[in-house]
Amino acid sequence: MKTDPRTEELDEGTADVQTVDFWFDCTCPYAWITSRWMHEVEAVRPISVRWRIMSLSVLNEGRDLDPGYLEAMDRAWLPARAATQVWDRHGDEVLGKFYTAVGTRVHNEGNKDYEAVIAAALAELGLDAGILDAARTDVLDEKMRESHQEGIDQVGDEVGTPVVAFNGTAFFGPVMTRIPRGEEAGRMFDGAVALAEFPYFYEIKRSRTTKPQFD
């Protein structure tokens, strides 16, 4: 039977699997692209992603926002609270699967009806439909805010999502408009890890000239 050479390479170094912490908001298209990049990296590098919750609604509380963006932040509470419910009940691994189920519907399929998206994602994963009812409340907001703040404490509050941490260093981003695939994803990860080795390195940035694409 023919085997995937990428898997063979990973098998040789399974003892050195590196944990990458990833803070996300379900509604952010850039976090979604970066998260799909991390899935690609998992196939070509010995890493394991630990999913964490960040909330753009929390981040933007009390800020003077454009009315359209303010409405988006008001609507973004529900997905963040639903993710927190899933995380609280089922842990990191299921949270990652929930993010995939929600993100695919929101970003790839363009469905912005968050109630319908969450209900469908819960059904797909065989999770309690009552999670949606619980997400309509603020019962786990303290847990959500703690996770959010854990990420923000590592990068400062002048950022957005995602926040990615590896080797004891966290960054906002990387922000991309395409999903790197295969070894290209691995090479980009190698570069990010290399930069993280320098405690005085903080930022690379340029204006975005392309829109997000999720295929």
Side-chain angles (χ1 to χ4, degrees):
M1 181 178 67
K2 188 175 181 180
T3 59
D4 186 339
R6 301 186 305 178
T7 303
E8 290 177 350
E9 291 175 7
L10 292 183
D11 288 344
E12 296 175 0
T14 52
D16 299 319
V17 173
Q18 176 184 348
T19 298
V20 176
D21 289 299
F22 191 105
W23 282 266
F24 67 90
D25 182 298
C26 291
T27 68
C28 177
Y30 298 104
W32 176 245
I33 288 175
T34 307
S35 73
R36 299 312 93 183
W37 166 60
M38 293 308 305
H39 276 295
E40 290 287 319
V41 175
E42 283 185 302
V44 296
R45 296 293 186 271
I47 73 162
S48 175
V49 180
R50 185 162 55 189
W51 301 100
R52 293 287 180 259
I53 295 165
M54 187 175 179
S55 168
L56 289 173
S57 300
V58 171
L59 184 68
N60 287 288
E61 276 185 313
R63 295 183 178 180
D64 185 15
L65 302 174
D66 173 87
Y69 194 68
L70 178 61
E71 180 184 359
M73 292 302 94
D74 287 342
R75 296 180 63 245
W77 284 106
L78 186 68
R81 284 167 170 160
T84 307
Q85 286 288 335
V86 171
W87 186 34
D88 184 65
R89 301 183 191 203
H90 300 286
D92 303 333
E93 184 176 353
V94 177
L95 174 61
K97 294 178 180 179
F98 177 76
Y99 182 27
T100 293
V102 168
T104 298
R105 290 171 169 84
V106 170
H107 303 294
N108 294 61
E109 299 173 7
N111 188 348
K112 308 301 183 185
D113 182 345
Y114 295 150
E115 293 225 359
V117 162
I118 292 165
L122 294 173
E124 176 187 328
L125 299 174
L127 301 178
D128 181 6
I131 286 174
L132 177 55
D133 291 327
R136 296 188 182 104
T137 76
D138 62 0
V139 65
L140 287 183
D141 274 16
E142 183 176 353
K143 183 180 181 74
M144 178 181 68
R145 290 175 183 275
E146 287 176 356
S147 175
H148 172 91
Q149 193 61 46
E150 183 183 358
I152 287 296
D153 284 346
Q154 299 187 60
V155 294
D157 60 4
E158 296 179 359
V159 301
T161 59
V163 170
V164 182
F166 34 76
N167 291 348
T169 301
F171 293 108
F172 161 53
V175 174
M176 299 172 277
T177 58
R178 305 292 187 277
I179 303 169
R181 304 290 186 183
E183 184 57 24
E184 182 177 296
R187 289 175 57 206
M188 184 174 288
F189 179 76
D190 295 341
V193 170
L195 290 173
E197 294 176 1
F198 298 92
Y200 49 83
F201 172 80
Y202 290 96
E203 183 177 10
I204 291 178
K205 189 173 183 179
R206 60 178 173 171
S207 297
R208 292 190 299 271
T209 58
T210 58
K211 294 182 179 180
Q213 292 186 8
F214 311 116
D215 54 6

